[in-house]
Amino acid sequence: MKTIGKPALFAATLGPVQSVLGWVIAGALWPGYDPIRKTISDLAADDSPVQWIQSSFFILGGTLSLLAAIYARSFAMPGRVVIFLGGLATYGFTYFTTPSQDSSSEMHRVFAIISFVLFSAWPLFSMRISGSYPWVLRPVGAIVATLGFTVISLWFLSTWTNPAATNVGLVERIIATAQTTYLSAVIWIAWLHAKRS
């Protein structure tokens, strides 16, 4: 059974914390910013007064994803590749910023959608058949997690593309928090399982 490397544990511990801290800190420093209606990407838009803060957290999150992909050796290799590509997509939507609060960037949308899809699909690609791995990496756990993320992601994408939606920021935060927290939980569960074994 392959194990979890310490850098992946570091990424799993810091990942969800930095993700939430990023938009909380940036949003708090922008008077009038509404986290329910406005997306996280709006905090990193070209006309945002806190652009560099949120962008820094995006870069940190992408880097932690790369560490997880490289050192979460309990995950099947296709899943690690998916997570790695998700980290690169995070760099992509950070580089291709939204020009303003009232406009959009096609490249930003493309990389953001790729990121959400990859971070929803990784459990399926990380699946292990062997009984020596924990239940979260076995078929039932991986399939159920992927289906759950698919439902939440479709909810977000339908909200994000609806100009009349007033809760896109809230829905985005739900899916982003779920994705980072679940990845971290699986890494820790796999590490604890290997340690007991």
Side-chain angles (χ1 to χ4, degrees):
M1 180 177 62
K2 295 183 179 179
T3 58
I4 300 292
K6 289 184 178 179
L9 288 179
F10 170 78
T13 303
L14 186 58
V17 176
Q18 70 82 31
S19 177
V20 174
L21 275 181
W23 73 66
V24 168
I25 292 172
L29 294 174
W30 185 357
Y33 175 81
D34 184 353
I36 303 299
R37 300 174 65 95
K38 305 289 284 182
T39 67
I40 302 169
S41 293
D42 286 329
L43 291 168
D46 292 340
D47 65 345
S48 166
V50 292
Q51 181 186 38
W52 69 272
I53 297 175
Q54 185 58 60
S55 295
S56 297
F57 278 98
F58 280 158
I59 295 298
L60 175 58
T63 303
L64 292 175
S65 297
L66 300 185
L67 284 176
I70 294 168
Y71 292 100
R73 293 182 291 263
S74 294
F75 296 13
M77 183 56 73
R80 294 167 64 191
V81 171
V82 168
I83 294 168
F84 193 90
L85 293 175
L88 294 181
T90 303
Y91 292 155
F93 69 67
T94 304
Y95 179 79
F96 292 103
T97 57
T98 300
S100 70
Q101 305 300 303
D102 301 317
S103 64
S104 62
S105 161
E106 191 62 32
M107 289 304 295
H108 179 84
R109 280 181 177 259
V110 167
F111 278 107
I113 290 171
I114 290 172
S115 172
F116 276 111
V117 169
L118 293 177
F119 283 117
S120 293
W122 73 263
L124 190 64
F125 289 93
S126 299
M127 185 170 56
R128 295 285 195 176
I129 304 300
S130 170
S132 61
Y133 289 93
W135 66 270
V136 288
L137 290 175
R138 302 289 303 285
V140 173
I143 292 170
V144 169
T146 302
L147 288 174
F149 281 133
T150 300
V151 170
I152 302 173
S153 294
L154 290 173
W155 177 34
F156 167 63
L157 289 174
S158 66
T159 306
W160 189 29
T161 55
N162 179 7
T166 59
N167 63 338
V168 64
L170 174 63
V171 178
E172 182 185 30
R173 284 161 174 78
I174 290 172
I175 181 63
T177 302
Q179 288 179 334
T180 56
T181 302
Y182 187 75
L183 175 57
S184 296
V186 174
I187 289 173
W188 272 103
I189 289 169
W191 181 80
L192 290 169
H193 179 85
K195 188 175 182 182
R196 284 196 301 268
S197 299

